Amino acid sequence: MSVFEPVRAVQRGLTVLRAISEHGPIAATDIANLCKLPQPTVVRLIETLIEGGYVYRQTGKATYKVTGRTLALSRGYDPHYRLIELAMPVVEQLHIEIGWPSNLAVFDGDAMVIAYSNRAALGLSIPGRVGARIPLVATGVGLVTLSRMSVEERRQALARAQSSSRWDSNPTLLATLPERLEDIRRNGYAFAEQAYLDEVYQSRIWAVAVPVPSVVGEYIALSSLMLRMAGDKRRQLAKILPKLTAAANRIGSLLSCDYS
């Protein structure tokens, strides 16, 4: 909790700026109704934002829009840094609950990028590092991401991926992709392809991933990795999947609050 009382004028000014950004072009009356503020107050705030260069009045109209200067307000924002900051405690708690490490991955145009991993810290000496780019159609995080995309988004993502990853251009994996994605949508999780794991991890592990609920246009997934010698795969899945899903939903909830 803050030591000081919030400055109401600043709060109101930011509320009005956000309303114009999200709903503009918009009239002062509509801004007042949307923000639940007196119209004279809204007019003064708009004039202040115009003076600051963040808002302008459309020529010949009584409506307002934001200027390009508003982009400067987000230059210091690193979405991956903020994601990691919010997700790290959840991922670490997940390890305590299930006893296995996890990867947090973000879709980046033609691949999934590992944004956070606690594998090394937990002593699991298998390949992989933060920042690594991994394929879409061979990994659990990639498959759950593809399952959430529209048909056109998926087509474009795969077209880009096929030029940079042999796994994403594998004809056998692509031939069965529609059926696999349907299963993933129905079940809510995806296993990484065993052939990929065999090559990268020498058959030592298996991995399961679930999507992280996030704002429109962002695709984030959380996976857990287990040693194959730990026991029957389905029995292990029954133990960890509810906790893995709950952790992903918790991260999604934190992100939603951060964006709202």
Side-chain angles (χ1 to χ4, degrees):
M1 180 180 292
S2 175
V3 176
F4 303 102
E5 287 292 321
V7 180
R8 291 186 66 200
V10 175
Q11 287 183 318
R12 288 178 167 184
L14 291 172
T15 299
V16 168
L17 180 59
R18 179 170 179 172
I20 298 171
S21 177
E22 293 180 352
H23 301 281
I26 186 171
T29 302
D30 296 324
I31 296 171
N33 291 334
L34 191 64
C35 298
K36 296 180 173 55
L37 293 172
Q39 187 161 336
T41 299
V42 167
V43 170
R44 290 198 300 273
L45 291 169
I46 290 172
E47 291 298 326
T48 301
L49 291 168
I50 290 174
E51 179 66 23
Y54 295 102
V55 168
Y56 71 96
R57 178 172 176 163
Q58 290 188 292
T59 303
K61 299 179 181 179
T63 51
Y64 302 90
K65 295 187 70 174
V66 297
T67 70
R69 179 171 286 190
T70 57
L71 295 172
L73 298 175
S74 64
R75 284 177 188 162
Y77 177 69
D78 182 337
H80 285 188
Y81 180 86
R82 183 56 175 158
L83 168 64
I84 294 166
E85 187 175 49
L86 292 171
M88 186 186 302
V90 181
V91 177
E92 296 306 323
Q93 179 61 34
L94 176 63
H95 165 247
I96 293 172
E97 294 176 0
I98 68 174
W100 297 105
S102 296
N103 286 336
L104 187 70
V106 180
F107 174 66
D108 186 33
D110 63 350
M112 300 301 292
V113 175
I114 299 177
Y116 179 70
S117 175
N118 57 7
R119 285 183 292 180
L122 299 174
L124 190 55
S125 57
I126 55 179
R129 67 188 187 282
V130 171
R133 300 179 71 83
I134 56 179
L136 295 174
V137 302
T139 63
V141 291
L143 288 166
V144 294
T145 294
L146 290 172
S147 74
R148 297 172 61 209
M149 291 180 174
S150 68
V151 173
E152 181 58 22
E153 282 181 302
R154 186 161 56 249
R155 185 194 67 77
Q156 293 182 14
L158 289 173
R160 291 189 295 265
Q162 287 165 14
S163 64
S164 58
S165 168
R166 65 181 179 83
W167 288 101
D168 288 320
S169 58
N170 183 295
T172 302
L173 296 183
L174 291 174
T176 59
L177 185 61
E179 292 79 9
R180 286 186 294 148
L181 295 182
E182 184 59 36
D183 287 342
I184 292 165
R185 282 188 286 268
R186 182 172 57 252
N187 296 327
Y189 64 87
F191 290 117
E193 286 295 324
Q194 198 57 54
Y196 171 77
L197 297 177
D198 288 348
E199 178 176 303
V200 178
Y201 304 116
Q202 292 76 52
S203 302
R204 285 183 289 164
I205 72 163
W206 60 273
V208 61
V210 296
V212 173
S214 56
V215 297
V216 175
E218 283 195 332
Y219 296 105
I220 305 167
L222 180 65
S223 67
S224 287
L225 301 85
M226 284 134 284
L227 291 172
R228 295 176 69 178
M229 67 177 66
D232 178 76
K233 182 176 181 179
R234 291 292 171 179
R235 186 161 52 248
Q236 292 295 322
L237 177 67
K239 291 180 181 179
I240 71 165
L241 184 60
K243 293 180 173 62
L244 179 63
T245 302
N249 289 339
R250 175 61 178 156
I251 295 169
S253 178
L254 293 170
L255 287 170
S256 177
C257 291
D258 202 57
Y259 275 89
S260 62

